[in-house]
Amino acid sequence: MVKKIIFATANQHKIEEVQSLAGQDFALLSMAEAGIIGDIPETAGTLEGNAMQKAEYVYRRTKTACFADDTGLEIDALGGEPGVYSARYAGEEKNSKANMDLVLAKLEGVSNRKARFRTVIAYIDDDGGKHLFEGIVNGEISLAGHGQEGFGYDPIFIPEGCDKSFAQMKLSEKNLHSHRARALKKFTEFLNTR
Ligand code: IMP
């Protein structure tokens, strides 16, 4: 029997990405398909807290298995910033170029450029059981942006062991390293053992 799981995201691209990893035994439903309209609150202050807050919001209304994700770029020399504020680091307009410019300005003259992307997935099963999955990719912030692929901070993030940024990679290559792919792999492996 196909198992229905709601993905608490407004991003259709993410739904397709996870559906392709989860396989045919699972039917991922969007929020609209689950009858949930409008923005879900994200006020917890940590990636784990935000992901669980979003999943709980949907579970309370549907009592159906559901999950949510939250991702942040954590830069050592900035005390873990932008972290949970990654999307709106330079302001509410969520502008990637402005966010990257702010990071590069804050790191001007700083030699420690170590950083990581971290994704947390929070899953609530049909019975209300809660589970967290984490995916990390370590790397460093380059001196300037390079590449046109991807989104967000991809042009300034060089994953460990690579000599180019995420924005200089096709999605298939980025997925070999990426935080989101790693978290999704743990999550879908978990689903497939249930
Ligand atoms: P979200 O939780 O997936 O919406 O991610 C929050 C923010 O982190 C995004 O708005 C981007 O700025 C940044 N981000 C998340 N994933 C990536 C990525 O794979 N590459 C670059 N930036 C990312």
Side-chain angles (χ1 to χ4, degrees):
M1 204 178 79
V2 175
K3 181 171 172 53
K4 284 185 184 174
I5 305 180
I6 303 166
F7 190 176
T9 181
N11 185 333
Q12 186 61 33
H13 173 80
K14 281 189 184 176
I15 295 181
E16 284 159 21
E17 191 179 300
V18 185
Q19 180 70 70
S20 74
L21 286 165
Q24 299 306 311
D25 292 343
F26 300 93
L28 294 192
L29 303 185
S30 67
M31 302 233 295
E33 286 165 332
I36 296 179
I37 303 156
D39 282 346
I40 309 180
E42 277 185 75
T43 55
T46 61
L47 298 178
E48 286 79 2
N50 275 349
M52 195 52 85
Q53 186 181 18
K54 289 186 274 187
E56 281 168 347
Y57 181 93
V58 172
Y59 186 78
R60 268 200 304 276
R61 285 159 178 76
T62 61
K63 295 285 182 277
T64 300
C66 63
F67 69 99
D69 70 340
D70 207 32
T71 295
L73 174 65
E74 300 174 340
I75 300 174
D76 286 0
L78 301 181
E81 281 187 13
V84 78
Y85 306 108
S86 293
R88 60 197 72 207
Y89 197 40
E92 286 303 317
E93 40 315 319
K94 299 187 181 176
N95 182 304
S96 294
K97 170 88 169 61
N99 288 339
M100 285 191 288
D101 286 347
L102 182 57
V103 165
L104 292 176
K106 288 196 178 199
L107 289 182
E108 208 170 309
V110 176
S111 57
N112 175 9
R113 306 187 73 88
K114 281 197 188 127
R116 72 198 53 76
F117 274 115
R118 199 160 71 84
T119 292
V120 173
I121 293 174
Y123 174 59
I124 304 182
D125 62 34
D126 283 313
D127 302 324
K130 296 177 181 175
H131 311 267
L132 288 173
F133 305 88
E134 182 187 60
I136 291 177
V137 56
N138 289 305
E140 58 182 49
I141 303 299
S142 53
L143 293 171
H146 298 284
Q148 308 295 327
E149 303 286 334
F151 70 101
Y153 298 87
D154 279 346
I156 61 169
F157 185 82
I158 303 174
E160 210 167 61
C162 297
D163 56 6
K164 56 186 176 183
S165 77
F166 266 164
Q168 292 172 298
M169 299 178 187
K170 294 280 175 222
L171 181 61
S172 56
E173 190 180 358
K174 179 182 170 185
N175 277 345
L176 296 176
H177 312 275
S178 103
H179 44 298
R180 196 170 11 262
R182 287 175 178 165
L184 282 174
K185 184 159 185 288
K186 287 186 193 169
F187 175 48
T188 54
E189 278 171 4
F190 172 85
L191 288 180
N192 282 311
T193 60
R194 304 280 281 181

